[in-house]
Amino acid sequence: MLSLFKGKTLNKTIIVALDFSSLESALTCLDKLDPTLCRVKIGKELFTSAGPESVKQATVRGFDVFLDLKFHDIPNTVAKAAVAAAEMGVWMLNVHAGGGFKMLAETRAALNSFGKERPLLIGVTLLTSFSPSDLVAVGVSDNPEAHVLRLAQLAKDAGLDGVVCSAREAGLLREKCGEKFCLVTPGIRRSQDENNDQKRVQTPSEAIASGSDFLVMGRPITKAKDPMGVIRSIYESI
Ligand code: C5P
């Protein structure tokens, strides 16, 4: 078993995105996955259609769940939503770093009562769907890289465990935010995979070399006939 920094092991580096519209289809996928070799991500589509039952079903099967609901609201509301997520037993959850220092710090403080059972709290910096002109349109004059770095540093200052970022920014964030900061990267494709709608992809080994801690991968795994075969081949390639 290979060790990654922060005491993690390489064999649970992959987080499979359960982007399904029903609990039934998510369960069909979960039953093909091995919880000792991957974690799972439940996002807005599955959570909106299937609710907390989706988290419960993944958890009882032994999976660590990343609840990807990207909370962004007034500090009190986000802190309480994060506590509700922690009570479901999720392993990781996220909030928009753009919600500001107070929202981030209050949410982090609200999770203190969970002690060692506290889920990892991760900030979303800039959605990879944003182009430089999209940023200008919402009044941000920084270039995307500078904006991502600013938000990552804000998240770190507020006590968050890390951020979601593009693997292409992982090297910069690793350098500026330190070894202990957790970097979660979507947009990962093996060379033989289709890019689908992902525009700026990196391979699993490139992402790990840039400093990623966790690789979020959906379709190359969930649409495969043998999802665990894909996961094993990725670990071999890293
Ligand atoms: O199927 P694919 O590997 O593209 O899935 C990537 C997952 O990561 C999806 O659930 C997507 O919503 C999520 N994600 C992303 N880019 C971001 C943040 C999250 O692709 N910047």
Side-chain angles (χ1 to χ4, degrees):
M1 195 188 278
L2 289 166
S3 268
L4 274 185
F5 47 87
K6 292 168 254 176
K8 289 189 311 293
T9 50
L10 190 58
N11 65 347
K12 278 176 68 161
T13 300
I14 295 173
I15 303 176
V16 180
L18 296 179
D19 292 326
F20 294 104
S21 58
S22 72
L23 185 58
E24 193 189 9
S25 44
L27 293 183
T28 303
C29 179
L30 273 180
D31 288 338
K32 292 182 195 157
L33 298 175
D34 177 347
T36 67
L37 290 178
C38 62
R39 297 174 159 98
V40 294
K41 177 173 89 71
I42 294 178
K44 289 190 172 91
E45 183 186 12
L46 181 59
F47 196 79
T48 303
S49 62
E53 187 63 18
S54 58
V55 174
K56 188 176 164 196
Q57 289 299 326
T59 307
V60 295
R61 285 166 170 75
F63 289 94
D64 291 338
V65 175
F66 169 20
L67 188 65
D68 176 22
L69 295 182
K70 301 185 179 70
F71 296 133
H72 188 165
D73 210 311
I74 58 170
N76 179 60
T77 301
V78 172
K80 291 205 162 124
V83 167
E87 281 168 352
M88 287 192 286
V90 303
W91 158 74
M92 174 185 276
L93 69 113
N94 60 4
V95 297
H96 269 284
F101 184 83
K102 208 160 170 265
M103 186 197 89
L104 300 172
E106 278 191 30
T107 303
R108 174 64 187 78
L111 293 173
N112 276 340
S113 59
F114 291 87
K116 284 189 179 161
E117 302 299 309
R118 175 179 78 76
L120 292 170
L121 182 62
I122 299 294
V124 176
T125 52
L126 180 64
L127 295 172
T128 43
S129 51
F130 256 68
S131 68
S133 60
D134 291 328
L135 264 186
V136 171
V138 295
V140 176
S141 54
D142 277 345
N143 64 50
E145 201 176 58
H147 191 58
V148 166
L149 181 58
R150 177 197 298 272
L151 290 174
Q153 281 172 330
L154 188 73
K156 189 178 176 208
D157 291 346
L160 268 64
D161 299 292
V163 290
V164 181
C165 66
S166 144
R168 286 165 193 263
E169 291 140 11
L172 173 74
L173 297 188
R174 175 64 61 225
E175 183 195 326
K176 302 285 184 191
C177 298
E179 285 298 310
K180 289 190 176 156
F181 204 54
C182 179
L183 301 179
V184 180
T185 56
I188 306 295
R189 291 291 184 271
R190 298 171 303 166
S191 48
Q192 66 265 46
D193 292 329
E194 282 176 34
N195 283 4
N196 311 113
D197 50 356
Q198 296 285 5
K199 295 208 171 59
R200 298 186 308 143
V201 298
Q202 283 211 325
T203 64
S205 26
E206 283 169 341
I208 292 291
S210 315
S212 264
D213 294 302
F214 296 106
L215 310 175
V216 175
M217 285 184 80
R219 289 159 288 183
I221 295 172
T222 57
K223 302 253 182 265
K225 281 202 184 106
D226 174 16
M228 286 312 304
V230 176
I231 289 175
R232 286 198 183 87
S233 82
I234 293 169
Y235 288 134
E236 276 160 25
S237 78
I238 333 178

